[in-house]
Amino acid sequence: MKKNILYIVAIAASTQIFTSCRKQLDVNPRERILETGYYKTPAEALTSLISVYDILGNQSSGYLTKVNILSAGCDDHFAGGDSPSDIGDLQTINNYTLTSTSGAASHLWSKGFTGVYRANVFLQKVANAGLDEATKTRYIAEVKALRAIYYFDLVKLFKNVPLLTEVVEPSAMYDVLQAPADQVYALVIKDLTEAIPNLPPTVPANTQGGRLTQGAAHAVLGKVYMWQQKWAEAAAEFALVNGPSPGASPYGYKLLTNYADLWNVKNKFNSESILEIVFNTTSDMGWGTVGSREGNVMGILVGPRNYVPLIAAQAPDYVSGWSFMPFTKDFFDQIHFDPRNKATVANLDSLEKAGIVTYKHANANTGYFIEKYAGRTSTKAAIGQLELNFGQDMYEIRLADTYLLEAESLLKSGAAVGAGTKAYTMFNAVRARVGLNPLPVTMDNLMRERRLELAAEGHRWFDLVRWGLAPTVLAGKGFKAGKNEIFPIPERELANSKIVQSKEWGGTK
């Protein structure tokens, strides 16, 4: 934690979160600016704010992201890659051989605490940046909500984490202690509830797309209550996001008519997007700067390896990729005859059997790849290392997610869920969007709907853990009950500090 929390400079590697800020953010991400001389002007405050947002889409230099780590660990995917050792940190979560020295655990810990550190520095320094009161109030609300998001992930993933609300001085860095999980959740709830009134209800997508709104903060708070099994509180938060009926959100959220349009790279910040992680094709990321710029590496990771079109007129324009995160046969069997299949699965198995394409049958190949993020020649960057600079945004939260969560929280709170009820209409609005007939609101139906609707979007592993099903569903991958529900605290955080390993991983905490 010494490096990760205390010495990460808050304004390093800022990203183009807001399209209106491109000029301000045209900086060399390897430059470092001393914190002591910063936060003196409104422009510096904005750049610092953007640096806190930057961690939402953080990617490691080893191609690790929150989404691909959790996807590799769930039952919908294999880690894949060229061989069983390709990006070994993904392989260890795929087969549950990860340890406290795993890069996957280190990335998730570092990602979370980098965000917390940057947020704390901002909150400590922003008063002296010369902002008008309204702007300062909004910035503080955004940063508190972001700190809540980072801590929410940390407490879900590691359970036993330090609770830092101020910048820790170097002289005290070895004495930081972990806090009980309920105290972390209390801070998350406090940050969100304090932030919500000072966040804007909506933002203009063309100039501020990606910034936090009241709806996004309510959605996060609803998820926090779900993890605490506070069903009525969760339902109340989702009701504020979703509105009284489908399409009637006070924030203007609506399901897109065409499911596939969610992954049109030109359809950023659409009406279904609640919290979106922004990427672009112009940051010029190269092999030496992987993870430090704003191209989405998922485009190259999930594409079929050695992809060759044989009949160009019939072959999709996929870019030859690295074959990570192929869907399992079990998942494909579940979605095969569902209307969301084509927008979700790149079916190389069928294309190859039809003689339209060839590709390498790499590690754990099933023939079923992720269509949602697949890099294409029509969407690749015009400059830089083309493989690394795809501009496909990713959803942290979208409306179908909150519709399904409201239905689930109502069911678990004991509310009525029959035809005509709020739970029924929200659940079946998700199905109706893709032309499916209504079903009753049961846990089995909700779980299947979340699996198919939100496939490859980073929700499945969390859902299985939250439902208590991970030990059963993931047993074949090596998941151990009472252990793998959380990640081990990275070994480098334990050395010369008072942080101790969780008891699930052989420690005493």
Side-chain angles (χ1 to χ4, degrees):
M1 188 177 70
K2 281 78 70 185
K3 289 185 178 179
N4 296 339
I5 296 178
L6 299 169
Y7 293 128
I8 297 169
V9 178
I11 39 272
S14 298
T15 60
Q16 295 175 346
I17 292 290
F18 320 141
T19 55
S20 62
C21 300
R22 286 176 181 160
K23 289 185 179 179
Q24 291 98 311
L25 301 180
D26 187 13
V27 296
N28 178 353
R30 291 185 178 276
E31 291 177 356
R32 295 293 182 266
I33 305 168
L34 292 177
E35 174 197 312
T36 53
Y38 213 70
Y39 301 91
K40 302 299 184 185
T41 68
E44 291 175 348
L46 176 61
T47 303
S48 177
L49 171 67
I50 295 170
S51 81
V52 187
Y53 272 99
D54 179 38
I55 302 303
L56 281 175
N58 181 255
Q59 303 171 135
S60 82
S61 59
Y63 305 97
L64 297 175
T65 71
K66 183 175 77 170
V67 169
N68 66 28
I69 291 170
L70 298 181
S71 294
C74 81
D75 57 327
D76 288 350
H77 303 271
F78 296 116
D82 193 35
S83 71
S85 61
D86 197 0
I87 307 189
D89 290 323
L90 290 180
Q91 308 298 336
T92 63
I93 181 63
N94 175 78
N95 54 30
Y96 287 92
T97 58
L98 77 162
T99 68
S100 60
T101 60
S102 161
S106 293
H107 171 70
L108 293 171
W109 180 280
S110 177
K111 169 183 164 67
F113 276 113
T114 301
V116 168
Y117 174 76
R118 292 184 181 188
N120 287 342
V121 170
F122 180 93
L123 294 171
Q124 177 179 291
K125 301 283 188 178
V126 68
N128 299 318
L131 295 170
D132 64 79
E133 196 61 30
T135 302
K136 182 175 71 173
T137 299
R138 179 183 176 184
Y139 283 10
I140 289 172
E142 289 178 270
V143 169
K144 283 188 174 182
L146 286 166
R147 182 171 67 181
I149 290 168
Y150 299 138
Y151 257 128
F152 184 37
D153 270 350
L154 284 166
V155 74
K156 287 187 296 181
L157 290 164
F158 296 98
K159 187 176 74 171
N160 298 305
V161 297
L163 185 59
L164 306 176
T165 58
E166 297 178 353
V167 178
V168 180
E169 295 299 325
S171 60
M173 68 183 186
Y174 299 112
D175 297 321
V176 172
L177 300 174
Q178 291 142 293
D182 61 347
Q183 292 183 15
V184 180
Y185 277 110
L187 175 69
V188 170
I189 293 169
K190 180 175 182 289
D191 273 351
L192 289 168
T193 53
E194 289 180 354
I196 286 169
N198 298 317
L199 291 170
T202 61
V203 296
N206 62 334
T207 56
Q208 297 185 34
R211 294 182 74 167
L212 280 159
T213 61
Q214 290 179 6
H218 279 301
V220 175
L221 185 53
K223 291 193 172 200
V224 173
Y225 287 136
M226 290 290 282
W227 274 82
Q228 294 187 303
Q229 299 185 5
K230 296 179 178 179
W231 312 121
E233 292 92 334
E237 292 298 322
F238 295 129
L240 292 171
V241 178
N242 299 336
S245 61
S249 168
Y251 302 114
Y253 302 129
K254 294 182 180 179
L255 295 177
L256 295 186
T257 303
N258 181 9
Y259 181 77
D261 286 346
L262 285 161
W263 292 277
N264 183 330
V265 296
K266 297 179 181 179
N267 206 17
K268 295 173 183 273
F269 316 124
N270 56 69
S271 66
E272 192 166 336
S273 175
I274 296 176
L275 182 56
E276 187 165 329
I277 299 173
V278 185
F279 296 95
N280 66 53
T281 62
T282 60
S283 69
D284 197 17
M285 188 156 68
W287 298 117
T289 55
V290 172
S292 67
R293 301 195 184 179
E294 294 80 56
N296 190 344
V297 299
M298 288 291 279
I300 193 67
L301 282 169
V302 304
R305 189 173 288 266
N306 296 351
Y307 175 75
V308 179
L310 300 178
I311 304 176
Q314 298 181 45
D317 66 332
Y318 300 134
V319 171
S320 184
W322 299 345
S323 290
F324 283 95
M325 266 69 68
F327 285 113
T328 62
K329 178 65 162 56
D330 175 69
F331 172 80
F332 180 72
D333 289 344
Q334 294 292 317
I335 202 171
H336 189 188
F337 299 107
D338 187 277
R340 290 161 289 203
N341 176 27
K342 188 174 181 181
T344 302
V345 181
N347 193 334
L348 274 293
D349 180 64
S350 283
L351 290 169
E352 185 180 57
K353 287 176 179 176
I356 297 171
V357 307
T358 64
Y359 71 101
K360 181 177 180 178
H361 289 206
N363 179 48
N365 177 66
T366 60
Y368 311 121
F369 296 87
I370 300 175
E371 174 70 23
K372 290 179 177 180
Y373 313 132
R376 295 175 175 270
T377 58
S378 56
T379 61
K380 67 183 181 182
I383 62 170
Q385 197 67 44
L386 306 185
E387 298 96 327
L388 302 177
N389 288 283
F390 288 98
Q392 175 73 60
D393 284 3
M394 300 180 76
Y395 302 104
E396 183 76 8
I397 308 174
R398 60 182 177 89
L399 192 62
D401 181 16
T402 60
Y403 277 14
L404 294 174
L405 287 173
E406 183 176 4
E408 181 184 343
S409 57
L410 287 167
L411 173 66
K412 289 185 173 179
S413 71
V417 297
T421 64
K422 183 75 178 298
Y424 185 90
T425 55
M426 288 301 176
F427 171 66
N428 283 298
V430 176
R431 293 177 55 79
R433 186 256 295 275
V434 294
L436 292 171
N437 292 327
L439 286 176
V441 179
T442 66
M443 275 308 300
D444 284 345
N445 287 341
L446 280 163
M447 290 188 293
R448 187 172 189 275
E449 201 65 30
R450 284 188 65 79
R451 185 181 189 187
L452 301 186
E453 172 71 25
L454 302 170
E457 296 179 47
H459 299 282
R460 178 67 174 173
W461 188 88
F462 280 133
D463 280 346
L464 290 173
V465 171
R466 181 171 61 85
W467 293 327
L469 296 177
T472 301
V473 174
L474 301 177
K477 280 194 157 194
F479 189 104
K480 298 293 190 298
K483 178 180 181 180
N484 293 122
E485 289 86 353
I486 60 173
F487 281 68
I489 295 170
E491 192 68 30
R492 66 185 182 186
E493 309 301 335
L494 305 174
N496 300 316
S497 78
K498 292 184 179 180
I499 296 176
V500 296
Q501 187 60 267
S502 301
K503 62 183 180 181
E504 292 88 343
W505 287 89
T508 59
K509 189 68 176 178

